[in-house]
Amino acid sequence: DFMNAIDEVRPAFGVSEDELATCLQGGIIHYNSYVDQILREGQLFVEQVKKSERTPLVSILLHGAPSAGKTALAAKIAIDSGYPFIKLVSPEAMVGMNEMSKVSYLSKVFMDAYKSTLSVVVLDNIERLIDYVPIGPRFSNTILQTIQVLLRKQPQKGRRLMILATTSSRSVLSQLDILNSFDGELGVTNVGNHDELAHILKELGSFDSREIQATTRELEMMTGTKKLSVGIKKIILGVETALQDEDKCGRFASVMSRAVREARIVYDD
Amino acid sequence: DFMNAIDEVRPAFGVSEDELATCLQGGIIHYNSYVDQILREGQLFVEQVKKSERTPLVSILLHGAPSAGKTALAAKIAIDSGYPFIKLVSPEAMVGMNEMSKVSYLSKVFMDAYKSTLSVVVLDNIERLIDYVPIGPRFSNTILQTIQVLLRKQPQKGRRLMILATTSSRSVLSQLDILNSFDGELGVTNVGNHDELAHILKELGSFDSREIQATTRELEMMTGTKKLSVGIKKIILGVETALQDEDKCGRFASVMSRAVREARIVYDD
Amino acid sequence: DFMNAIDEVRPAFGVSEDELATCLQGGIIHYNSYVDQILREGQLFVEQVKKSERTPLVSILLHGAPSAGKTALAAKIAIDSGYPFIKLVSPEAMVGMNEMSKVSYLSKVFMDAYKSTLSVVVLDNIERLIDYVPIGPRFSNTILQTIQVLLRKQPQKGRRLMILATTSSRSVLSQLDILNSFDGELGVTNVGNHDELAHILKELGSFDSREIQATTRELEMMTGTKKLSVGIKKIILGVETALQDEDKCGRFASVMSRAVREARIVYDD
Amino acid sequence: DFMNAIDEVRPAFGVSEDELATCLQGGIIHYNSYVDQILREGQLFVEQVKKSERTPLVSILLHGAPSAGKTALAAKIAIDSGYPFIKLVSPEAMVGMNEMSKVSYLSKVFMDAYKSTLSVVVLDNIERLIDYVPIGPRFSNTILQTIQVLLRKQPQKGRRLMILATTSSRSVLSQLDILNSFDGELGVTNVGNHDELAHILKELGSFDSREIQATTRELEMMTGTKKLSVGIKKIILGVETALQDEDKCGRFASVMSRAVREARIVYDD
Amino acid sequence: DFMNAIDEVRPAFGVSEDELATCLQGGIIHYNSYVDQILREGQLFVEQVKKSERTPLVSILLHGAPSAGKTALAAKIAIDSGYPFIKLVSPEAMVGMNEMSKVSYLSKVFMDAYKSTLSVVVLDNIERLIDYVPIGPRFSNTILQTIQVLLRKQPQKGRRLMILATTSSRSVLSQLDILNSFDGELGVTNVGNHDELAHILKELGSFDSREIQATTRELEMMTGTKKLSVGIKKIILGVETALQDEDKCGRFASVMSRAVREARIVYDD
Amino acid sequence: DFMNAIDEVRPAFGVSEDELATCLQGGIIHYNSYVDQILREGQLFVEQVKKSERTPLVSILLHGAPSAGKTALAAKIAIDSGYPFIKLVSPEAMVGMNEMSKVSYLSKVFMDAYKSTLSVVVLDNIERLIDYVPIGPRFSNTILQTIQVLLRKQPQKGRRLMILATTSSRSVLSQLDILNSFDGELGVTNVGNHDELAHILKELGSFDSREIQATTRELEMMTGTKKLSVGIKKIILGVETALQDEDKCGRFASVMSRAVREARIVYDD
Ligand SMILES: Nc1ncnc2c1ncn2[C@@H]1O[C@H](COP(=O)(O)OP(=O)(O)OP(=O)(O)O)[C@@H](O)[C@H]1O
Ligand SMILES: Nc1ncnc2c1ncn2[C@@H]1O[C@H](COP(=O)(O)OP(=O)(O)OP(=O)(O)O)[C@@H](O)[C@H]1O
Ligand SMILES: Nc1ncnc2c1ncn2[C@@H]1O[C@H](COP(=O)(O)OP(=O)(O)OP(=O)(O)O)[C@@H](O)[C@H]1O
Ligand SMILES: Nc1ncnc2c1ncn2[C@@H]1O[C@H](COP(=O)(O)OP(=O)(O)OP(=O)(O)O)[C@@H](O)[C@H]1O
Ligand SMILES: Nc1ncnc2c1ncn2[C@@H]1O[C@H](COP(=O)(O)OP(=O)(O)OP(=O)(O)O)[C@@H](O)[C@H]1O
Ligand SMILES: Nc1ncnc2c1ncn2[C@@H]1O[C@H](COP(=O)(O)OP(=O)(O)OP(=O)(O)O)[C@@H](O)[C@H]1O
Ligand SMILES: [Mg+2]
Ligand SMILES: [Mg+2]
Ligand SMILES: [Mg+2]
Ligand SMILES: [Mg+2]
Ligand SMILES: [Mg+2]
Ligand SMILES: [Mg+2]
């Protein structure tokens, strides 16, 4: 039954759009210009892979704070590429596998990709894929080396491959000396101020204009600033929790102010 | 016979209430307002999972000193949720398993949970689940990574899951960089003063009012304060030991004063 | 034949009195009041396990210097409990087993214990059970975690269990963060002065009153004090060695004075 | 299927020219005198192996910054040798193999080489072949030792072997004490100034003279210098990315100026 | 054939006198009073094991510099004991075994010993038995723990066992915290001065009186002292080397003076 | 086929002269008096093993800088011994074996040697045999321990064994505490000055007297001294490379001056 479980996670050839769709459950809200810029640059690389004769392989790293929206943006670029082969490699798909199975799984995905003329592979959450933990630090060097080589392995003649990887620990990847293996990087930023926050709340539709104003005003009083640095995923979660409370605005403000405080603690480190 | 032993610990589908009940042998004594607040916040998350469309997965960490009552409170929230699938994952259930069996066991529990529309999984004593020991420090990175990924793995469409985890080493989890994987935290506090202690002794029923007064007075003389910081589980144990002695009150006071002293030593570290 | 060897060490159900008896080869000499106090406190816990409804599991740690008599006292408390199931788990019984066999063996002992209504398990020499060595330090984390969980695993309803553990490295257990898993501790002290030594020599019967006087006088001259800090087991060994020599008293004094010196060196560390 | 995958990478006897050709996709542009010098020295060693009676085995290390063109130059020397047996050993060919398979694979390649009278083996990217990672540092000592011994193992009488290895971490090889095992070294340098850059752009053919002038002028304004230190591979990649943009020259200058900045950061370390 | 090799080293029941005899190839030369004293103390313990009711197990450690004669003295005590079961456990007998085989081998020897009423086991060169190496330091904890437990494991009722162990790294054993497991220690000293050296040369018979005088006089001139600190085994080796040279005395003096110098270097550390 | 590969390296009984001959491809040039002295001392030990009754086992370590000629000298002594059993154990013969196979291989060689009345075993390049690498440092303790015990294991009665080992890392062996296991040491020195160099060039025959003079004069101008410290193997290699160049003398001088510089850098460390 455990082996069956592994079988279940083996995807059909080239089809990973369902998985990518669940990464986009919250949609893409265009709450500032960086969001558009990342998507535009992503599209540029998509074109380069499709057209250039000299660079049939291009690998890009999306990095940013936890919950900043990295996975969703990578998924968006991949889906919008229109390539025939699209595949998401995520830690969730490898639960319960041992090191060697994970390596086989990774190799298999890329061998499949090399069979298509035009492919995109998303390597989500690299530090989790390699089982990284800061105490030690410990990680699977076997998986790391596999990824590092796959990032550089040229597809056969006539085949083209784009690799999109995400991480919330760029500095760890730097220490692991793997940044050199990427051809480009895209930085994903947190939601940065109350205007962007208001934009998001409006789009989500659970607060009306008055409530948005009330909430941001309360948040400003609590934090003493109109700035913040919170990932979009945390904002969406906070909205949902707030919806269970009678005092929707009050609870959302209090949840956000706690997130703001935690971000500050991290900055002080 | 050893493999049989493992079989014995495999629970029937979705039924873990017996195990949860034994975590509640001492009941829940409402000895201060924090106890109620934790249960209330727990219920709020229970509602969010049940109702929100955007957050079908919510994971909460209960942290506090050893014996503070973390497991009992997590069990209480889980039982009171009324969800059809309730499961306790505890180190005790995994005695004698090797690392890979533990990973399979964990995966199995979550795969079962994903089959129910509404599930709650309690991960009791995370540092024990990952075999953490401060010398080294050493721990099972394989189990840690599995837990970390399971805390974030979205159930299939239409399924909802709440995860309640407990730990008496929040700082260790912080060093392991796993706190980010939780959506929320609830702090469980020790019994803090003689009023709360008296409340508990009264509820337990082994001391009458006069004895309670005598005991707390003696304790105050021994420690020089009406404050203490002792877990409710230690208080219940102390009462039972005291019952075997002829000088019930004297022994209880002496057992408590030793617990107070030990707590101070820990604080001085 | 090696597997047979393992089979041989598997005890019959609930019977370990022979092994416990060999731990008591030197009997229990009541050479000071601490000896009686330890036995009395041990008996109190025996009663608590037998009678209390709320604490069906109690675990106690006996700690003290090497040779202080820890194993003998634990064996005495266990035998005197009168419980139907009595079992000694010692490193000697596990010679030649690998880590996994030791874990199975430990699990098996406790599963057997849970089948009896009233059981006592003695875990002798915990640092040896976990293969602890100060260089590194190294130890079997697998066995440590198993013991740590077994110390807290509640027996099924209606079953009661007392665990007596011994160690000569309490500070190591503290660093391993396992002390919290015990419900109580009993400190076993060395023989501390010439009066206690004389008491022991008299009980052992190999020296007459005059010889005892001669010996202690010579020892005082050698060490310059009537104090000492030597384990009872070393005293018994010294007596036996002395018996082979013509100058019985002289050799015993010289053996003891060396033990006193060594104890001092350790204290200076 | 995984074993099949390994089979697929096993090369036919002595034929590795296809793989070597893909290493030369960008051709060899003679953008400065060092390029010619390296090729000339390489040819000298080729002659020595072919003719000398006393040195049937010669091993050479090509070292230089990432993307400097090491692999291409090693491939060029190997192909131009005209030896009957030519083989490339690259990390990409070993993806998914475990340590022992890699050792077997390496041994097999050399055993094949020893069968030919005149052979050249290219060991591409030694630090990747040995799974080196700076955290720890960790690497496969088994593979390292195999390589170190193969670098010194004399072919049977009448057989001659040239080994060309590449690395972008010469200092790591020095710490691993493996430099002594090479008979000679060739340093590969980065593209160093705007003249060399202009030479390359002209050869690649995507920019006309005017555009080249415009681009280098813009780059000089951005970086404040006519010097740079960028690998030829990065320059080729930059050209291809620029071709997707409307403002070809502007984007190429901006991509290059970023590469110059990154090189400076590395130099400051 | 390798397994056969292991079989070959398995001794017949209780017979190890041949092996012990080869440890005594150089005989025992009574070159100073310590030699006699060690043998006398050894005999005392032999008696204790044979006669005492309370100490059926006694373990003694012989420690001293490399080549000091530890193994020969242990062998002598064992052979002279006259016990029916005598067994030498040496690293040489375990060449080519893996860790688990060594543990089985050790267990087997002791199980055999427990079957005899009176046994002596010699554990030669403990640091080599546990594969100790100072870099790390590294050693087999599995074998160490096995030895440590076997040193304390009481034989069944009516059986008696003496254990003689040797080491040239007492400080290592101290760091490994294994000294406590021995009941006694015997220090073996180097040859200390020219009188003892002359005594040995005379006994060995390769030098006549005049040659001995010439040699020691030359040595004194070379080293500037009549003292030395060289193991008896090195002296015997030096004599044999000298015998091949024409200038027997000159070469012996020069070999000895080098040994004296090396000893000084070690002392300066 | 891999197992076949291992089979191929297994030598026929007692015959290793071919392998030893390839170690002597460059012959032995008597370029200074040390060369003769080493060979003479080697012969003395050869005699001792053959004749002495008390020392049937003698082990000697040849140590010196890389390329100094250690292996050739050990091979020379072994071949000239005239013993019936001669065997070379080299890292090259063990390529592709795992740790356990290497241990078996080593054991096998010595078991074969013990069967001959008179044997010599050459352990070439000990630090490579034990897979030593300075980062860590890491090495195979299993192989190290096997070698250390084999260096001391007495052959059966009537059998005699000489062991010649080589190393270019005597300080590493010292840290591994293995020097004590050797009965003697022989230091191999580098070529030290232009006279010795001229001697060698003359013997090799590729330069005539005038060319030798021209070359050494040029070298002196380049290095500013008539001293050097270069291994003979590097000199032979330099000659062969120079022969490919038109300017034979110029290139040889430049190759040598680089070797001199590198030696200085090492000395400065
Ligand atoms: N502009 C946006 N960019 C990214 N995500 C967005 C945006 N607008 C809405 N979202 C939603 O926000 C969520 C972002 O979550 P996502 O998992 O991508 O974050 P993440 O950075 O990958 O988090 P983690 O660090 O946990 O991996 C998704 O549900 C996504 O649909
Ligand atoms: N208000 C309360 N909160 C928690 N536990 C309570 C409360 N009142 C009574 N109890 C009882 O106290 C005990 C608490 O023990 P519990 O095992 O939950 O502590 P814990 O913090 O999980 O301990 P540990 O650190 O050992 O895991 C239970 O028996 C529970 O029934
Ligand atoms: N009062 C006493 N307390 C303990 N042991 C006693 C006492 N009187 C006599 N003895 C005898 O002394 C010996 C104590 O040895 P024991 O093995 O219990 O010591 P230990 O502390 O467990 O030693 P170790 O540190 O080696 O485990 C036993 O033989 C026991 O019979
Ligand atoms: N003079 C040159 N030297 C080297 N490569 C050149 C030269 N001219 C053009 N090229 C092209 O530049 C590219 C160099 O890439 P190559 O893979 O050899 O770099 P590398 O140093 O091995 O990179 P890495 O550090 O990633 O291994 C090749 O495509 C090659 O064809
Ligand atoms: N008085 C003596 N004590 C010990 N050995 C002696 C004595 N007289 C002669 N010998 C001879 O000296 C040699 C001592 O060697 P032995 O192997 O016992 O030394 P060791 O200390 O065990 O060496 P190592 O440190 O290598 O284990 C033996 O051959 C022994 O026969
Ligand atoms: N006097 C000499 N001593 C040693 N080798 C000599 C001498 N004269 C000529 N040679 C030749 O020099 C070469 C020495 O190489 P050898 O492999 O023995 O060096 P090495 O010190 O073992 O090198 P490495 O450190 O790589 O193991 C051999 O080819 C040998 O035939
Ligand atoms: Mg993500
Ligand atoms: Mg708990
Ligand atoms: Mg004990
Ligand atoms: Mg390359
Ligand atoms: Mg010895
Ligand atoms: Mg050599």
Side-chain angles (χ1 to χ4, degrees), chain E residues 23-31 35 65-73 124-125 168 232-233 236, chain F residues 152:
Chain E
C23 298
L24 277 168
Q25 272 185 336
I28 295 290
I29 301 172
H30 294 256
Y31 60 86
V35 174
S67 304
K70 305 170 296 294
T71 304
L73 289 168
D124 193 32
N125 214 338
S168 49
I232 178 130
K233 199 162 72 176
I236 295 175
Chain F
R152 296 249 126 264

Side-chain angles (χ1 to χ4, degrees), chain B residues 162-180:
Chain B
M162 179 176 199
I163 304 173
L164 292 168
T166 77
T167 184
S168 49
S169 301
R170 189 181 176 277
S171 70
V172 165
L173 297 203
S174 162
Q175 289 165 43
L176 293 169
D177 210 8
I178 195 185
L179 290 186
N180 253 320

Side-chain angles (χ1 to χ4, degrees), chain A residues 24 26-29 31 35 66-73 232-233 236:
Chain A
L24 278 166
I28 295 290
I29 302 172
Y31 61 86
V35 173
S67 304
K70 305 169 297 294
T71 303
L73 288 168
I232 177 128
K233 199 163 72 176
I236 294 174

Side-chain angles (χ1 to χ4, degrees), chain D residues 34-52:
Chain D
Y34 293 123
V35 173
D36 304 298
Q37 190 178 329
I38 288 168
L39 294 174
R40 236 187 357 255
E41 291 223 22
Q43 205 192 336
L44 222 101
F45 289 119
V46 164
E47 291 306 308
Q48 177 176 356
V49 171
K50 210 186 283 179
K51 297 187 189 146
S52 156

Side-chain angles (χ1 to χ4, degrees), chain B residues 110-121:
Chain B
F110 279 81
M111 301 239 161
D112 285 355
Y114 300 145
K115 289 183 188 145
S116 165
T117 46
L118 210 46
S119 310
V120 56
V121 172

Side-chain angles (χ1 to χ4, degrees), chain C residues 128 131-132 138 240-241, chain E residues 48 52 54 139 141 145 175:
Chain C
R128 211 65 317 110
D131 289 347
Y132 181 86
R138 289 163 61 181
E240 297 301 304
T241 306
Chain E
Q48 178 177 356
S52 155
R54 287 203 191 90
F139 54 91
N141 194 22
Q145 297 293 337
Q175 288 164 43

